[in-house]
Short mmCIF file of all heavy atoms in Angstrom, two decimals:
data_model
loop_
_atom_site.label_atom_id
_atom_site.label_comp_id
_atom_site.label_asym_id
_atom_site.label_seq_id
_atom_site.Cartn_x
_atom_site.Cartn_y
_atom_site.Cartn_z
N MET A 1 -83.02 -80.18 23.73
CA MET A 1 -81.69 -80.26 24.40
C MET A 1 -80.53 -79.57 23.57
O MET A 1 -80.50 -79.70 22.37
CB MET A 1 -81.21 -81.70 24.55
CG MET A 1 -79.90 -81.93 25.26
SD MET A 1 -79.64 -83.70 25.66
CE MET A 1 -78.03 -83.54 26.50
N THR A 2 -79.83 -78.75 24.19
CA THR A 2 -78.86 -77.83 23.51
C THR A 2 -77.49 -78.41 23.76
O THR A 2 -77.08 -78.56 24.89
CB THR A 2 -79.04 -76.35 24.02
OG1 THR A 2 -80.33 -75.91 23.84
CG2 THR A 2 -78.06 -75.55 23.16
N ALA A 3 -76.72 -78.59 22.70
CA ALA A 3 -75.40 -79.03 22.84
C ALA A 3 -74.55 -77.88 23.41
O ALA A 3 -74.80 -76.74 23.06
CB ALA A 3 -74.89 -79.52 21.63
N PRO A 4 -73.61 -78.17 24.21
CA PRO A 4 -72.70 -77.09 24.68
C PRO A 4 -71.90 -76.43 23.58
O PRO A 4 -71.52 -77.13 22.67
CB PRO A 4 -71.72 -77.80 25.79
CG PRO A 4 -71.89 -79.26 25.29
CD PRO A 4 -73.25 -79.49 24.71
N THR A 5 -71.69 -75.17 23.70
CA THR A 5 -70.87 -74.41 22.71
C THR A 5 -69.42 -74.72 22.96
O THR A 5 -69.00 -74.33 24.00
CB THR A 5 -71.28 -73.01 22.61
OG1 THR A 5 -72.66 -72.91 22.45
CG2 THR A 5 -70.41 -72.28 21.55
N LEU A 6 -68.76 -75.28 21.97
CA LEU A 6 -67.30 -75.41 22.06
C LEU A 6 -66.58 -74.29 21.56
O LEU A 6 -66.91 -73.78 20.49
CB LEU A 6 -67.00 -76.69 21.46
CG LEU A 6 -67.45 -77.98 22.03
CD1 LEU A 6 -67.06 -79.14 21.19
CD2 LEU A 6 -67.17 -78.22 23.52
N GLU A 7 -65.57 -73.80 22.30
CA GLU A 7 -64.70 -72.77 21.66
C GLU A 7 -63.95 -73.40 20.61
O GLU A 7 -63.29 -74.42 20.80
CB GLU A 7 -63.78 -72.26 22.80
CG GLU A 7 -64.49 -71.35 23.88
CD GLU A 7 -64.91 -70.09 23.19
OE1 GLU A 7 -64.30 -69.73 22.18
OE2 GLU A 7 -65.89 -69.42 23.81
N THR A 8 -63.90 -72.65 19.51
CA THR A 8 -63.07 -73.27 18.37
C THR A 8 -61.97 -72.34 18.11
O THR A 8 -61.22 -72.42 17.12
CB THR A 8 -63.94 -73.26 17.14
OG1 THR A 8 -64.45 -72.03 16.92
CG2 THR A 8 -65.05 -74.26 17.25
N SER A 9 -61.49 -71.56 19.17
CA SER A 9 -60.46 -70.65 18.98
C SER A 9 -59.07 -71.20 19.36
O SER A 9 -58.09 -70.47 19.40
CB SER A 9 -60.69 -69.28 19.70
OG SER A 9 -60.84 -69.61 21.05
N ALA A 10 -59.10 -72.42 19.79
CA ALA A 10 -57.83 -73.05 20.31
C ALA A 10 -56.83 -72.98 19.17
O ALA A 10 -57.14 -73.20 18.01
CB ALA A 10 -58.04 -74.49 20.70
N PRO A 11 -55.59 -72.72 19.44
CA PRO A 11 -54.53 -72.55 18.35
C PRO A 11 -54.35 -74.06 17.86
O PRO A 11 -54.49 -75.03 18.50
CB PRO A 11 -53.37 -72.12 19.11
CG PRO A 11 -53.53 -72.46 20.55
CD PRO A 11 -55.05 -72.36 20.76
N ALA A 12 -53.84 -73.98 16.55
CA ALA A 12 -53.51 -75.36 16.06
C ALA A 12 -52.35 -75.99 16.91
O ALA A 12 -51.39 -75.30 17.37
CB ALA A 12 -52.90 -75.14 14.65
N THR A 13 -52.42 -77.28 17.04
CA THR A 13 -51.39 -77.99 17.75
C THR A 13 -50.75 -79.03 16.96
O THR A 13 -51.28 -79.46 15.97
CB THR A 13 -51.97 -78.53 19.07
OG1 THR A 13 -53.07 -79.42 18.68
CG2 THR A 13 -52.53 -77.47 20.04
N LEU A 14 -49.55 -79.38 17.32
CA LEU A 14 -48.84 -80.50 16.67
C LEU A 14 -49.42 -81.92 17.21
O LEU A 14 -49.86 -81.98 18.33
CB LEU A 14 -47.30 -80.38 16.95
CG LEU A 14 -46.73 -79.14 16.38
CD1 LEU A 14 -45.38 -78.89 17.01
CD2 LEU A 14 -46.62 -79.24 14.93
N THR A 15 -49.23 -82.81 16.33
CA THR A 15 -49.76 -84.24 16.76
C THR A 15 -48.54 -85.08 16.67
O THR A 15 -47.37 -84.73 16.22
CB THR A 15 -50.75 -84.65 15.83
OG1 THR A 15 -50.16 -84.99 14.49
CG2 THR A 15 -51.84 -83.70 15.64
N ARG A 16 -48.83 -86.31 17.05
CA ARG A 16 -47.72 -87.45 17.05
C ARG A 16 -47.29 -87.66 15.66
O ARG A 16 -46.21 -88.25 15.32
CB ARG A 16 -48.21 -88.70 17.71
CG ARG A 16 -48.58 -88.42 19.15
CD ARG A 16 -49.34 -89.66 19.68
NE ARG A 16 -48.46 -90.70 20.06
CZ ARG A 16 -47.72 -90.88 21.21
NH1 ARG A 16 -48.06 -90.00 22.19
NH2 ARG A 16 -46.97 -91.90 21.43
N ARG A 17 -48.09 -87.34 14.62
CA ARG A 17 -47.71 -87.58 13.30
C ARG A 17 -46.90 -86.51 12.68
O ARG A 17 -46.36 -86.69 11.52
CB ARG A 17 -49.04 -87.83 12.41
CG ARG A 17 -49.66 -89.12 12.61
CD ARG A 17 -50.90 -89.22 11.81
NE ARG A 17 -52.06 -88.50 12.52
CZ ARG A 17 -53.21 -88.54 11.93
NH1 ARG A 17 -53.67 -89.12 10.88
NH2 ARG A 17 -54.14 -87.85 12.60
N ASP A 18 -46.69 -85.44 13.35
CA ASP A 18 -45.71 -84.37 12.96
C ASP A 18 -44.40 -84.81 13.28
O ASP A 18 -44.09 -84.99 14.52
CB ASP A 18 -46.10 -83.04 13.58
CG ASP A 18 -47.42 -82.45 12.93
OD1 ASP A 18 -47.61 -82.53 11.70
OD2 ASP A 18 -48.35 -82.21 13.71
N ARG A 19 -43.44 -84.90 12.38
CA ARG A 19 -42.19 -85.40 12.58
C ARG A 19 -41.20 -84.26 12.21
O ARG A 19 -41.30 -83.62 11.33
CB ARG A 19 -41.93 -86.60 11.72
CG ARG A 19 -42.78 -87.78 12.09
CD ARG A 19 -42.28 -88.42 13.40
NE ARG A 19 -43.38 -89.16 14.08
CZ ARG A 19 -43.20 -89.91 15.19
NH1 ARG A 19 -42.00 -89.80 15.89
NH2 ARG A 19 -44.10 -90.63 15.72
N CYS A 20 -40.00 -84.31 12.89
CA CYS A 20 -38.89 -83.37 12.62
C CYS A 20 -38.53 -83.65 11.26
O CYS A 20 -38.13 -84.83 10.82
CB CYS A 20 -37.75 -83.71 13.65
SG CYS A 20 -36.30 -82.69 13.34
N ASP A 21 -38.25 -82.52 10.44
CA ASP A 21 -37.73 -82.66 9.10
C ASP A 21 -36.38 -83.20 9.07
O ASP A 21 -35.94 -83.59 7.96
CB ASP A 21 -37.95 -81.34 8.36
CG ASP A 21 -39.38 -80.90 8.25
OD1 ASP A 21 -40.23 -81.78 8.10
OD2 ASP A 21 -39.62 -79.63 8.14
N ARG A 22 -35.61 -82.96 10.16
CA ARG A 22 -34.22 -83.31 10.10
C ARG A 22 -33.93 -84.70 10.58
O ARG A 22 -33.00 -85.35 10.06
CB ARG A 22 -33.47 -82.31 10.99
CG ARG A 22 -33.50 -80.82 10.50
CD ARG A 22 -32.66 -80.64 9.33
NE ARG A 22 -32.97 -79.35 8.67
CZ ARG A 22 -32.13 -78.92 7.70
NH1 ARG A 22 -31.14 -79.55 7.15
NH2 ARG A 22 -32.48 -77.78 7.09
N CYS A 23 -34.68 -85.19 11.58
CA CYS A 23 -34.24 -86.46 12.13
C CYS A 23 -35.40 -87.36 12.29
O CYS A 23 -35.19 -88.66 12.57
CB CYS A 23 -33.59 -86.27 13.53
SG CYS A 23 -34.65 -85.75 14.73
N GLY A 24 -36.66 -87.04 12.02
CA GLY A 24 -37.69 -87.90 12.05
C GLY A 24 -38.35 -88.19 13.40
O GLY A 24 -39.23 -88.91 13.69
N ALA A 25 -37.78 -87.49 14.45
CA ALA A 25 -38.37 -87.56 15.83
C ALA A 25 -39.67 -86.79 15.84
O ALA A 25 -39.92 -86.06 14.95
CB ALA A 25 -37.43 -86.99 16.82
N GLN A 26 -40.39 -87.06 16.88
CA GLN A 26 -41.61 -86.34 16.97
C GLN A 26 -41.35 -84.84 17.10
O GLN A 26 -40.37 -84.39 17.84
CB GLN A 26 -42.39 -86.68 18.22
CG GLN A 26 -43.70 -86.00 18.34
CD GLN A 26 -44.69 -86.67 19.43
OE1 GLN A 26 -44.32 -87.76 20.02
NE2 GLN A 26 -45.70 -86.00 19.76
N ALA A 27 -42.21 -84.08 16.30
CA ALA A 27 -41.94 -82.53 16.20
C ALA A 27 -42.75 -82.00 17.30
O ALA A 27 -43.80 -82.24 17.62
CB ALA A 27 -42.44 -82.17 14.87
N TYR A 28 -42.09 -80.92 17.92
CA TYR A 28 -42.71 -80.19 18.96
C TYR A 28 -42.72 -78.63 18.66
O TYR A 28 -43.20 -77.92 19.35
CB TYR A 28 -41.95 -80.34 20.28
CG TYR A 28 -42.22 -81.78 20.93
CD1 TYR A 28 -41.34 -82.81 20.76
CD2 TYR A 28 -43.41 -81.88 21.67
CE1 TYR A 28 -41.68 -84.03 21.31
CE2 TYR A 28 -43.78 -83.12 22.16
CZ TYR A 28 -42.77 -84.10 22.06
OH TYR A 28 -43.08 -85.45 22.53
N VAL A 29 -42.10 -78.35 17.48
CA VAL A 29 -42.12 -76.92 17.00
C VAL A 29 -42.45 -76.93 15.57
O VAL A 29 -41.91 -77.72 14.87
CB VAL A 29 -40.70 -76.24 17.27
CG1 VAL A 29 -40.83 -74.80 16.88
CG2 VAL A 29 -40.32 -76.41 18.77
N ARG A 30 -43.33 -75.95 15.20
CA ARG A 30 -43.63 -75.75 13.76
C ARG A 30 -43.37 -74.35 13.45
O ARG A 30 -43.66 -73.49 14.13
CB ARG A 30 -45.11 -76.00 13.47
CG ARG A 30 -45.48 -75.77 11.97
CD ARG A 30 -46.77 -76.32 11.54
NE ARG A 30 -47.88 -75.67 12.35
CZ ARG A 30 -49.09 -76.29 12.69
NH1 ARG A 30 -49.17 -77.55 12.23
NH2 ARG A 30 -49.97 -75.74 13.25
N ALA A 31 -42.58 -74.14 12.37
CA ALA A 31 -42.21 -72.79 12.00
C ALA A 31 -42.81 -72.63 10.59
O ALA A 31 -42.54 -73.40 9.66
CB ALA A 31 -40.63 -72.66 11.84
N THR A 32 -43.62 -71.55 10.55
CA THR A 32 -44.18 -71.27 9.28
C THR A 32 -43.45 -69.96 8.58
O THR A 32 -43.40 -69.02 9.19
CB THR A 32 -45.69 -70.85 9.43
OG1 THR A 32 -46.33 -71.96 10.04
CG2 THR A 32 -46.35 -70.65 7.97
N LEU A 33 -42.86 -70.32 7.44
CA LEU A 33 -42.07 -69.25 6.82
C LEU A 33 -42.85 -68.15 6.25
O LEU A 33 -44.02 -68.48 5.75
CB LEU A 33 -41.12 -69.84 5.79
CG LEU A 33 -40.15 -70.88 6.39
CD1 LEU A 33 -39.23 -71.39 5.27
CD2 LEU A 33 -39.31 -70.37 7.46
N PRO A 34 -42.43 -66.89 6.30
CA PRO A 34 -43.22 -65.89 5.64
C PRO A 34 -43.12 -66.10 4.12
O PRO A 34 -42.35 -66.72 3.57
CB PRO A 34 -42.41 -64.59 6.09
CG PRO A 34 -41.08 -65.03 6.39
CD PRO A 34 -41.25 -66.41 6.82
N GLY A 35 -44.12 -65.42 3.46
CA GLY A 35 -44.13 -65.41 2.01
C GLY A 35 -45.36 -66.16 1.53
O GLY A 35 -46.14 -66.71 2.27
N ALA A 36 -45.49 -66.21 0.16
CA ALA A 36 -46.72 -66.65 -0.31
C ALA A 36 -46.91 -68.20 -0.24
O ALA A 36 -47.92 -68.69 -0.13
CB ALA A 36 -46.74 -66.40 -1.93
N ASP A 37 -45.75 -68.87 -0.12
CA ASP A 37 -45.81 -70.32 -0.08
C ASP A 37 -46.19 -70.71 1.42
O ASP A 37 -46.88 -71.82 1.60
CB ASP A 37 -44.47 -70.98 -0.31
CG ASP A 37 -44.09 -70.80 -1.77
OD1 ASP A 37 -45.02 -70.63 -2.58
OD2 ASP A 37 -42.95 -71.01 -2.11
N GLY A 38 -45.85 -69.99 2.48
CA GLY A 38 -46.21 -70.30 3.81
C GLY A 38 -45.65 -71.75 4.13
O GLY A 38 -46.38 -72.49 4.83
N LEU A 39 -44.44 -71.93 3.71
CA LEU A 39 -43.84 -73.26 3.95
C LEU A 39 -43.80 -73.59 5.50
O LEU A 39 -43.34 -72.73 6.22
CB LEU A 39 -42.39 -73.22 3.27
CG LEU A 39 -41.76 -74.59 3.39
CD1 LEU A 39 -42.41 -75.77 2.62
CD2 LEU A 39 -40.27 -74.36 2.94
N GLU A 40 -44.20 -74.82 5.79
CA GLU A 40 -44.09 -75.19 7.20
C GLU A 40 -42.97 -76.16 7.44
O GLU A 40 -42.86 -77.14 6.72
CB GLU A 40 -45.42 -75.83 7.59
CG GLU A 40 -46.53 -74.88 7.61
CD GLU A 40 -47.80 -75.52 8.24
OE1 GLU A 40 -47.87 -76.78 8.27
OE2 GLU A 40 -48.72 -74.69 8.62
N LEU A 41 -42.18 -75.86 8.53
CA LEU A 41 -40.98 -76.71 8.86
C LEU A 41 -41.38 -77.26 10.15
O LEU A 41 -41.92 -76.62 11.09
CB LEU A 41 -39.72 -76.02 8.89
CG LEU A 41 -39.35 -75.30 7.56
CD1 LEU A 41 -38.03 -74.51 7.76
CD2 LEU A 41 -39.19 -76.29 6.42
N HIS A 42 -40.96 -78.53 10.46
CA HIS A 42 -41.24 -79.18 11.82
C HIS A 42 -39.93 -79.52 12.38
O HIS A 42 -39.01 -80.04 11.64
CB HIS A 42 -42.06 -80.38 11.59
CG HIS A 42 -43.50 -80.00 11.07
ND1 HIS A 42 -43.77 -79.86 9.76
CD2 HIS A 42 -44.67 -79.91 11.76
CE1 HIS A 42 -45.11 -79.59 9.68
NE2 HIS A 42 -45.52 -79.52 10.81
N PHE A 43 -39.76 -79.32 13.61
CA PHE A 43 -38.56 -79.55 14.31
C PHE A 43 -38.81 -80.39 15.69
O PHE A 43 -39.82 -79.94 16.36
CB PHE A 43 -37.84 -78.40 14.64
CG PHE A 43 -37.30 -77.53 13.46
CD1 PHE A 43 -38.08 -76.39 12.95
CD2 PHE A 43 -36.15 -77.95 12.69
CE1 PHE A 43 -37.74 -75.81 11.85
CE2 PHE A 43 -35.87 -77.22 11.53
CZ PHE A 43 -36.56 -76.20 11.09
N CYS A 44 -38.06 -81.28 16.03
CA CYS A 44 -37.86 -81.73 17.42
C CYS A 44 -37.29 -80.66 18.24
O CYS A 44 -36.77 -79.64 17.69
CB CYS A 44 -37.11 -82.99 17.44
SG CYS A 44 -35.33 -82.85 17.10
N GLY A 45 -37.28 -80.72 19.59
CA GLY A 45 -36.67 -79.82 20.47
C GLY A 45 -35.21 -79.53 20.17
O GLY A 45 -34.76 -78.38 20.11
N HIS A 46 -34.51 -80.58 19.96
CA HIS A 46 -33.07 -80.60 19.63
C HIS A 46 -32.84 -79.76 18.40
O HIS A 46 -31.97 -78.78 18.44
CB HIS A 46 -32.62 -82.00 19.48
CG HIS A 46 -31.04 -82.02 19.09
ND1 HIS A 46 -30.16 -81.88 20.06
CD2 HIS A 46 -30.50 -82.14 17.87
CE1 HIS A 46 -28.94 -81.98 19.40
NE2 HIS A 46 -29.20 -82.17 18.13
N HIS A 47 -33.44 -79.98 17.38
CA HIS A 47 -33.16 -79.34 16.16
C HIS A 47 -33.73 -77.90 16.17
O HIS A 47 -33.13 -77.02 15.44
CB HIS A 47 -33.56 -80.12 14.83
CG HIS A 47 -32.65 -81.21 14.50
ND1 HIS A 47 -33.08 -82.54 14.67
CD2 HIS A 47 -31.42 -81.19 14.20
CE1 HIS A 47 -31.94 -83.22 14.35
NE2 HIS A 47 -31.02 -82.52 14.00
N PHE A 48 -34.79 -77.63 16.80
CA PHE A 48 -35.32 -76.30 16.88
C PHE A 48 -34.27 -75.41 17.60
O PHE A 48 -34.12 -74.28 17.13
CB PHE A 48 -36.67 -76.19 17.53
CG PHE A 48 -37.23 -74.76 17.61
CD1 PHE A 48 -37.51 -74.13 16.42
CD2 PHE A 48 -37.28 -74.09 18.78
CE1 PHE A 48 -37.96 -72.83 16.44
CE2 PHE A 48 -37.73 -72.78 18.90
CZ PHE A 48 -38.15 -72.15 17.69
N ARG A 49 -33.69 -75.91 18.62
CA ARG A 49 -32.72 -75.12 19.24
C ARG A 49 -31.53 -74.70 18.34
O ARG A 49 -31.09 -73.57 18.30
CB ARG A 49 -32.12 -75.81 20.53
CG ARG A 49 -32.86 -75.75 21.72
CD ARG A 49 -32.23 -76.15 22.94
NE ARG A 49 -31.84 -77.56 22.90
CZ ARG A 49 -32.57 -78.54 23.35
NH1 ARG A 49 -33.75 -78.33 23.81
NH2 ARG A 49 -32.16 -79.76 23.30
N ARG A 50 -31.23 -75.61 17.45
CA ARG A 50 -30.13 -75.44 16.59
C ARG A 50 -30.63 -74.37 15.45
O ARG A 50 -29.72 -73.50 15.02
CB ARG A 50 -29.83 -76.62 15.77
CG ARG A 50 -28.65 -76.58 14.86
CD ARG A 50 -28.14 -77.86 14.23
NE ARG A 50 -27.67 -78.74 15.43
CZ ARG A 50 -27.28 -80.03 15.17
NH1 ARG A 50 -27.33 -80.55 13.91
NH2 ARG A 50 -26.82 -80.73 16.18
N PHE A 51 -31.77 -74.38 14.97
CA PHE A 51 -32.17 -73.55 13.89
C PHE A 51 -32.94 -72.24 14.34
O PHE A 51 -33.29 -71.39 13.53
CB PHE A 51 -33.04 -74.31 12.93
CG PHE A 51 -32.23 -75.32 12.20
CD1 PHE A 51 -32.31 -76.69 12.45
CD2 PHE A 51 -31.42 -74.96 11.05
CE1 PHE A 51 -31.58 -77.69 11.83
CE2 PHE A 51 -30.62 -75.92 10.43
CZ PHE A 51 -30.75 -77.21 10.76
N GLU A 52 -33.30 -72.22 15.63
CA GLU A 52 -34.17 -71.01 16.06
C GLU A 52 -33.68 -69.72 15.56
O GLU A 52 -34.39 -68.83 15.18
CB GLU A 52 -34.26 -71.13 17.50
CG GLU A 52 -35.14 -70.01 17.98
CD GLU A 52 -35.48 -70.18 19.60
OE1 GLU A 52 -34.76 -70.96 20.30
OE2 GLU A 52 -36.19 -69.43 20.08
N PRO A 53 -32.31 -69.32 15.79
CA PRO A 53 -31.86 -68.05 15.44
C PRO A 53 -32.10 -67.70 14.01
O PRO A 53 -32.65 -66.56 13.61
CB PRO A 53 -30.35 -68.07 15.73
CG PRO A 53 -30.13 -69.10 16.76
CD PRO A 53 -31.27 -70.16 16.41
N GLY A 54 -31.89 -68.57 13.15
CA GLY A 54 -32.15 -68.37 11.71
C GLY A 54 -33.69 -68.20 11.37
O GLY A 54 -34.04 -67.36 10.59
N LEU A 55 -34.40 -68.98 12.08
CA LEU A 55 -35.90 -68.93 11.79
C LEU A 55 -36.51 -67.61 12.31
O LEU A 55 -37.23 -67.03 11.57
CB LEU A 55 -36.67 -70.08 12.59
CG LEU A 55 -36.27 -71.59 11.95
CD1 LEU A 55 -36.81 -72.61 12.95
CD2 LEU A 55 -37.01 -71.63 10.52
N VAL A 56 -36.06 -67.23 13.49
CA VAL A 56 -36.59 -65.87 14.03
C VAL A 56 -36.01 -64.74 13.15
O VAL A 56 -36.81 -63.81 12.85
CB VAL A 56 -36.02 -65.73 15.48
CG1 VAL A 56 -36.39 -64.40 15.99
CG2 VAL A 56 -36.72 -66.81 16.38
N ALA A 57 -34.82 -64.91 12.69
CA ALA A 57 -34.31 -63.71 11.83
C ALA A 57 -35.05 -63.76 10.50
O ALA A 57 -35.14 -62.61 9.99
CB ALA A 57 -32.80 -64.07 11.61
N SER A 58 -35.54 -64.92 10.04
CA SER A 58 -36.32 -64.79 8.77
C SER A 58 -37.79 -64.44 8.93
O SER A 58 -38.47 -64.39 7.88
CB SER A 58 -36.22 -66.28 8.10
OG SER A 58 -36.96 -67.14 8.82
N GLY A 59 -38.20 -64.26 10.22
CA GLY A 59 -39.55 -63.75 10.41
C GLY A 59 -40.53 -64.93 10.40
O GLY A 59 -41.73 -64.60 10.20
N ALA A 60 -40.04 -66.18 10.69
CA ALA A 60 -41.00 -67.29 10.72
C ALA A 60 -41.89 -67.10 11.79
O ALA A 60 -41.58 -66.59 12.88
CB ALA A 60 -40.10 -68.48 10.74
N THR A 61 -43.16 -67.64 11.66
CA THR A 61 -44.01 -67.71 12.78
C THR A 61 -43.85 -69.02 13.51
O THR A 61 -43.90 -70.12 12.94
CB THR A 61 -45.51 -67.76 12.28
OG1 THR A 61 -45.74 -66.59 11.65
CG2 THR A 61 -46.56 -67.92 13.42
N ILE A 62 -43.57 -69.05 14.79
CA ILE A 62 -43.13 -70.19 15.53
C ILE A 62 -44.33 -70.69 16.44
O ILE A 62 -44.89 -70.02 17.20
CB ILE A 62 -41.94 -69.92 16.46
CG1 ILE A 62 -40.89 -69.24 15.63
CG2 ILE A 62 -41.43 -71.13 17.19
CD1 ILE A 62 -40.21 -70.13 14.59
N LEU A 63 -44.56 -71.90 16.24
CA LEU A 63 -45.53 -72.61 17.24
C LEU A 63 -44.67 -73.65 18.00
O LEU A 63 -44.17 -74.59 17.55
CB LEU A 63 -46.58 -73.49 16.37
CG LEU A 63 -47.49 -74.30 17.21
CD1 LEU A 63 -48.40 -73.46 18.23
CD2 LEU A 63 -48.44 -75.20 16.48
N ASP A 64 -44.45 -73.18 19.25
CA ASP A 64 -43.57 -73.90 20.17
C ASP A 64 -44.30 -74.76 21.20
O ASP A 64 -45.02 -74.12 22.11
CB ASP A 64 -42.67 -72.88 20.86
CG ASP A 64 -41.64 -73.46 21.72
OD1 ASP A 64 -41.66 -74.67 21.90
OD2 ASP A 64 -40.69 -72.74 22.13
N GLU A 65 -44.23 -75.92 21.11
CA GLU A 65 -44.97 -76.88 22.06
C GLU A 65 -43.98 -77.70 22.81
O GLU A 65 -44.30 -78.90 23.24
CB GLU A 65 -45.93 -77.73 21.28
CG GLU A 65 -47.04 -76.86 20.66
CD GLU A 65 -48.22 -77.74 20.16
OE1 GLU A 65 -48.11 -78.96 20.06
OE2 GLU A 65 -49.27 -77.01 19.82
N ARG A 66 -42.78 -77.19 23.04
CA ARG A 66 -41.68 -77.99 23.73
C ARG A 66 -42.14 -78.21 25.16
O ARG A 66 -41.47 -79.08 25.76
CB ARG A 66 -40.42 -77.23 23.66
CG ARG A 66 -39.76 -77.37 22.19
CD ARG A 66 -38.47 -76.69 22.15
NE ARG A 66 -38.70 -75.23 22.26
CZ ARG A 66 -37.77 -74.27 22.26
NH1 ARG A 66 -36.55 -74.63 22.47
NH2 ARG A 66 -38.10 -72.98 22.40
N HIS A 67 -43.14 -77.48 25.72
CA HIS A 67 -43.56 -77.75 27.02
C HIS A 67 -44.10 -79.25 27.04
O HIS A 67 -44.32 -79.75 28.25
CB HIS A 67 -44.49 -76.64 27.53
CG HIS A 67 -45.70 -76.60 26.66
ND1 HIS A 67 -45.75 -75.86 25.51
CD2 HIS A 67 -47.01 -77.08 26.65
CE1 HIS A 67 -46.81 -75.84 24.91
NE2 HIS A 67 -47.57 -76.73 25.59
N ARG A 68 -44.54 -79.80 26.00
CA ARG A 68 -45.15 -81.07 26.02
C ARG A 68 -44.02 -82.19 25.97
O ARG A 68 -44.48 -83.40 26.15
CB ARG A 68 -46.09 -81.18 24.81
CG ARG A 68 -47.18 -80.25 24.87
CD ARG A 68 -47.98 -80.23 23.44
NE ARG A 68 -48.43 -81.54 23.16
CZ ARG A 68 -48.64 -81.97 21.84
NH1 ARG A 68 -48.54 -81.13 20.84
NH2 ARG A 68 -49.04 -83.13 21.65
N ILE A 69 -42.86 -81.82 25.84
CA ILE A 69 -41.88 -82.93 25.75
C ILE A 69 -41.70 -83.59 27.12
O ILE A 69 -41.57 -82.76 28.16
CB ILE A 69 -40.43 -82.28 25.36
CG1 ILE A 69 -40.62 -81.76 23.88
CG2 ILE A 69 -39.43 -83.42 25.40
CD1 ILE A 69 -39.37 -81.11 23.44
N ASP A 70 -41.67 -84.80 27.19
CA ASP A 70 -41.38 -85.46 28.41
C ASP A 70 -39.98 -85.21 28.83
O ASP A 70 -39.03 -85.36 28.09
CB ASP A 70 -41.58 -87.05 28.31
CG ASP A 70 -43.06 -87.29 28.15
OD1 ASP A 70 -43.88 -86.52 28.43
OD2 ASP A 70 -43.28 -88.50 27.54
N ALA A 71 -39.81 -84.94 30.09
CA ALA A 71 -38.51 -84.43 30.56
C ALA A 71 -37.49 -85.64 30.31
O ALA A 71 -36.27 -85.48 30.08
CB ALA A 71 -38.51 -84.05 32.03
N SER A 72 -38.00 -86.79 30.47
CA SER A 72 -37.08 -88.00 30.39
C SER A 72 -36.60 -88.30 28.98
O SER A 72 -35.64 -89.04 28.75
CB SER A 72 -37.91 -89.32 30.83
OG SER A 72 -38.98 -89.52 30.05
N THR A 73 -37.22 -87.65 28.00
CA THR A 73 -36.79 -87.85 26.54
C THR A 73 -36.08 -86.64 25.90
O THR A 73 -35.69 -86.72 24.79
CB THR A 73 -37.98 -88.22 25.63
OG1 THR A 73 -38.90 -87.08 25.71
CG2 THR A 73 -38.77 -89.41 26.14
N ASP A 74 -35.86 -85.71 26.72
CA ASP A 74 -35.21 -84.50 26.27
C ASP A 74 -33.71 -84.74 26.19
O ASP A 74 -33.07 -84.80 27.25
CB ASP A 74 -35.44 -83.25 27.14
CG ASP A 74 -35.01 -81.97 26.50
OD1 ASP A 74 -34.61 -81.97 25.37
OD2 ASP A 74 -34.98 -80.93 27.23
N ASP A 75 -33.14 -84.93 25.07
CA ASP A 75 -31.78 -85.20 24.86
C ASP A 75 -30.96 -84.02 24.66
O ASP A 75 -30.85 -83.50 23.56
CB ASP A 75 -31.50 -86.20 23.69
CG ASP A 75 -30.20 -86.67 23.71
OD1 ASP A 75 -29.24 -86.23 24.44
OD2 ASP A 75 -29.82 -87.52 22.82
ZN1 LIG B 101 -34.78 -83.38 14.91
#
């Protein structure tokens, strides 16, 4: 019996344990800063909107999973 081959190329995703660095809400965006440290910042949708211009300007790699936010909780 052969086990099915699972694709392992799925991108990393955020989990419920990832929390916004600013307010502690569930994070839906991860920004990885360029450079040797590769520092990762986590943001809720609200705070990502606030910091997005600066993050993009700094060349951060953005993992945006805001499509997963329940419409009812988007403040
Ligand atoms: Zn936040």
Side-chain angles (χ1 to χ4, degrees):
M1 185 169 180
T2 303
T5 301
L6 297 176
E7 287 291 337
T8 56
S9 60
T13 56
L14 295 164
T15 72
R16 298 169 80 88
R17 279 178 286 183
D18 290 310
R19 295 289 162 175
C20 175
D21 293 331
R22 295 288 168 174
C23 70
Q26 185 172 347
Y28 286 98
V29 182
R30 178 166 63 210
T32 305
L33 299 181
D37 290 340
L39 182 64
E40 290 185 345
L41 302 175
H42 295 84
F43 298 98
C44 65
H46 174 81
H47 281 112
F48 180 67
R49 279 196 294 274
R50 181 173 298 179
F51 291 103
E52 180 176 12
L55 291 167
V56 171
S58 71
T61 299
I62 307 298
L63 174 65
D64 185 350
E65 297 191 345
R66 283 178 292 172
H67 58 277
R68 294 169 57 205
I69 299 177
D70 291 339
S72 60
T73 61
D74 189 11
D75 186 354

